[in-house]
Amino acid sequence: MDQLIEQTLSDAASANEVLVDKEQADDYVAKDYAPRDYAKGKTVLILGASPDQLPLYWVAKNAGAYVIGADANPEAMARPVADEFLLLKSRDATDIIKILGGRKIDGVASPGNDSFHQTIYDLAAHYNLPNPPSKNAVRASCDKGFFSSLAQEMGIFAPMHCASKDFKTLETFAHDRPFPLIVKPADSSGSKGLTFVTELDQLRKGYDKASSFSPTGLVIVEDYVVGDQFGVEAFRFDGRCVLSAVSQRGHSGPPDFLVTQHRVGFPLSDVLEQELLPLIERIADALDIINGPLNFDIILTPDDRICFIEMGARLSGNGFPALVRETYGVDTQDWVLRMALGKQVHVPRGFLRPQKYGIQQVMGAARTGILKSITGMDRLEAHPACKQQTLFVQPGQKVYRFERTIDRLGVVLLAHENRELTEQGLSCLLSDISFEIDDQNSPEQVNIEPDINEAGVVVNV
């Protein structure tokens, strides 16, 4: 439907420059990407090898790069895709440099992960890599308290909070705040280590959980802000946002608030349409993010105030980039790879708007057991709105009750120009797909839980 724009490939003129093709047409469509060789002869290190990083592995392979994957999990999903795999015991860049020996890498990236911002910064400095992150961007991504304080200093609504490694300091703060409160690691992502605390006696347990998920032991306690949750995937070039994809999120509710659904392209409130982008531009300027991705967790309160919860100077996880590709027609994974390697990035002249309605739906188990069978997938695949279905488990494998992001059974991406067809695709998913779980060597259907339907699909709260 949209014309394929032929891409001209060239190396960046300097280590910190993003080359922008000013002649690129506004109707550029990422789905027309074909495998290319712009990364041939280049070595890219991808930190993390979970489902959130897997798409970048494929983009890099299709571009001809030699891919070195790295993760602490020896059975990480993306490991088989990598040309070489590093089993990490540390996030320290010095340790990774030692493992690599005298070899040089040409680029490094870690989408969907806040654990490696400082590592990327240090590796970029050591290897003189293109487009390194700014110090402020790294700190805001790794320290939720720093970001919230910065937002408040700029007059932007963010939760009242206290970040510390000392429990007594956090307890003193919590004593004077209204409950409920959120307790979480200040330097982790994906709701890992998060606790919804309704009374002071629960604080110690929440603190212990959060500190166990923090690489540095830094824990943040913050006010619980009531409202609708949204995710934002933004991308900047030459100091302006060309993309700000806003997703209304479904989530599992307290105590974990795991993301269960993204909805993109659907009508937004006037407040989000008019006020969100200028706030993002201000934050990006304050963090010296001139080129590259940003993602935000925000809440729209009942009185129409935008509250910024946290941010990361990277692509989102939970399949959000794939949803952006289907609804906006641009491949942000490819943009990240090109920036990491100092290659030319073709940027739309104007601000991008969604071309389709899109839904990314998480599937999860109501209980732990052995996955016996999956039925109904063929009916879903035949639906015109079904664009992609990714299963993280197969029959015969152990599955876990959906209590952590890594426990997802899979995700389904639905998108169509017709809103009704997109919603019909979701109805098909909820009614036709079924996961049968056997937890005692006898076939039983999945237990019914309030947030998971009979098919084993996570239902929004």
Side-chain angles (χ1 to χ4, degrees):
M1 81 181 185
D2 293 288
Q3 182 181 1
L4 173 65
I5 307 301
E6 185 63 27
Q7 302 203 11
T8 304
L9 307 172
S10 64
D11 290 326
S14 69
N16 296 312
E17 180 183 3
V18 174
L19 296 182
V20 176
D21 179 6
K22 301 298 184 183
E23 299 301 317
Q24 190 216 353
D26 289 340
D27 62 352
Y28 171 82
V29 175
K31 73 182 182 63
D32 289 327
Y33 267 151
R36 301 175 186 276
D37 291 331
Y38 68 82
K40 190 174 183 179
K42 300 291 185 179
T43 298
V44 61
L45 171 64
I46 302 176
L47 299 172
S50 77
D52 288 333
Q53 290 83 51
L54 178 60
L56 186 62
Y57 280 72
W58 285 117
V59 169
K61 291 289 288 183
N62 286 342
Y66 182 84
V67 177
I68 301 177
D71 201 291
N73 178 10
E75 299 180 356
M77 178 173 284
R79 178 172 184 169
V81 183
D83 296 293
E84 181 179 341
F85 187 81
L86 309 180
L87 188 59
L88 295 182
K89 297 181 180 179
S90 164
R91 295 185 179 94
D92 193 307
T94 303
D95 293 335
I96 294 174
I97 293 167
K98 288 180 180 177
I99 294 174
L100 291 172
R103 292 182 298 165
K104 186 182 185 307
I105 59 173
D106 300 294
V108 60
S110 183
N113 194 329
D114 285 330
S115 301
F116 293 108
H117 290 283
Q118 186 63 51
T119 311
I120 291 173
Y121 182 88
D122 294 338
L123 290 173
H126 179 82
Y127 292 109
N128 192 29
L129 300 179
N131 302 305
S134 71
K135 288 184 178 180
N136 284 335
V138 170
R139 186 175 179 188
S141 302
C142 296
D143 185 343
K144 302 181 195 303
F146 171 76
F147 171 69
S148 291
S149 295
L150 174 68
Q152 290 172 344
E153 290 170 6
M154 297 172 64
I156 297 173
F157 182 26
M160 294 297 295
H161 63 279
C162 177
S164 178
K165 297 180 181 180
D166 177 59
F167 175 73
K168 288 294 185 182
T169 300
L170 298 172
E171 186 179 41
T172 300
F173 169 81
H175 187 272
D176 296 327
R177 301 304 303 169
F179 284 85
L181 295 170
I182 297 294
V183 182
K184 59 188 180 182
D187 49 4
S188 190
S189 60
S191 298
K192 292 189 289 288
L194 183 148
T195 302
F196 183 74
V197 174
T198 58
E199 56 186 35
L200 193 60
D201 288 346
Q202 299 172 354
L203 188 67
R204 181 78 215 197
K205 185 176 181 180
Y207 167 82
D208 290 341
K209 179 181 178 181
S211 61
S212 70
F213 281 89
S214 168
T216 63
L218 185 63
V219 174
I220 186 169
V221 177
E222 66 185 22
D223 287 354
Y224 171 60
V225 179
V226 176
D228 294 328
Q229 293 192 13
F230 293 84
V232 183
E233 183 95 310
F235 221 107
R236 275 193 134 202
F237 290 107
D238 289 346
R240 69 177 178 92
C241 279
V242 299
L243 170 71
S244 178
V246 181
S247 156
Q248 183 161 11
R249 286 179 173 174
H251 59 83
S252 61
D256 302 308
F257 296 96
L258 299 172
V259 174
T260 60
Q261 187 185 89
H262 286 291
R263 298 174 69 92
V264 170
F266 295 84
L268 299 173
S269 69
D270 290 343
V271 172
L272 291 176
E273 287 283 7
Q274 298 168 14
E275 299 181 17
L276 179 58
L277 183 60
L279 293 175
I280 291 173
E281 297 280 28
R282 287 179 58 201
I283 292 170
D285 286 341
L287 297 176
D288 303 316
I289 301 174
I290 308 303
N291 300 294
L294 308 88
N295 77 86
F296 297 91
D297 293 348
I298 65 172
I299 290 175
L300 184 64
T301 65
D303 58 350
D304 281 339
R305 292 192 299 163
I306 300 172
C307 180
F308 281 79
I309 303 298
E310 56 190 65
M311 66 83 63
R314 48 133 176 113
L315 292 183
S316 299
N318 282 306
F320 200 174
L323 187 57
V324 169
R325 185 189 66 235
E326 287 292 339
T327 53
Y328 282 79
V330 291
D331 191 338
T332 53
Q333 299 277 7
D334 185 82
W335 286 356
V336 164
L337 180 64
R338 288 174 181 272
M339 286 188 59
L341 295 175
K343 294 292 185 177
Q344 185 174 23
V345 180
H346 295 260
V347 182
R349 291 175 183 157
F351 184 72
L352 291 167
R353 294 288 181 181
Q355 304 169 2
K356 298 178 183 178
Y357 301 97
I359 300 173
Q360 184 93 354
Q361 180 66 50
V362 171
M363 298 177 289
R367 68 183 184 195
T368 298
I370 303 299
L371 179 62
K372 182 180 179 183
S373 65
I374 306 169
T375 59
M377 196 64 73
D378 55 339
R379 293 189 293 275
L380 176 65
E381 291 173 352
H383 194 280
C386 183
K387 303 301 179 183
Q388 180 179 312
Q389 53 283 330
T390 305
L391 294 174
F392 304 141
V393 294
Q394 297 296 329
Q397 293 182 330
K398 188 172 183 179
V399 298
Y400 296 88
R401 175 182 164 83
F402 185 62
E403 296 178 327
R404 304 171 298 168
T405 299
I406 62 172
D407 296 331
R408 296 169 294 177
L409 299 177
V411 293
V412 172
L413 195 163
L414 306 163
H416 202 276
E417 294 88 347
N418 184 292
R419 178 175 179 174
E420 184 177 354
L421 277 176
T422 306
E423 296 283 13
Q424 286 177 1
L426 180 61
S427 297
C428 176
L429 167 62
L430 297 175
S431 63
D432 289 353
I433 303 300
S434 180
F435 292 83
E436 188 176 0
I437 293 176
D438 178 358
D439 60 355
Q440 292 181 340
N441 296 319
S442 60
E444 297 182 36
Q445 280 300 114
V446 176
N447 283 344
I448 307 305
E449 297 290 336
D451 57 345
I452 300 180
N453 75 355
E454 296 180 11
V457 178
V458 178
V459 178
N460 299 315
V461 176

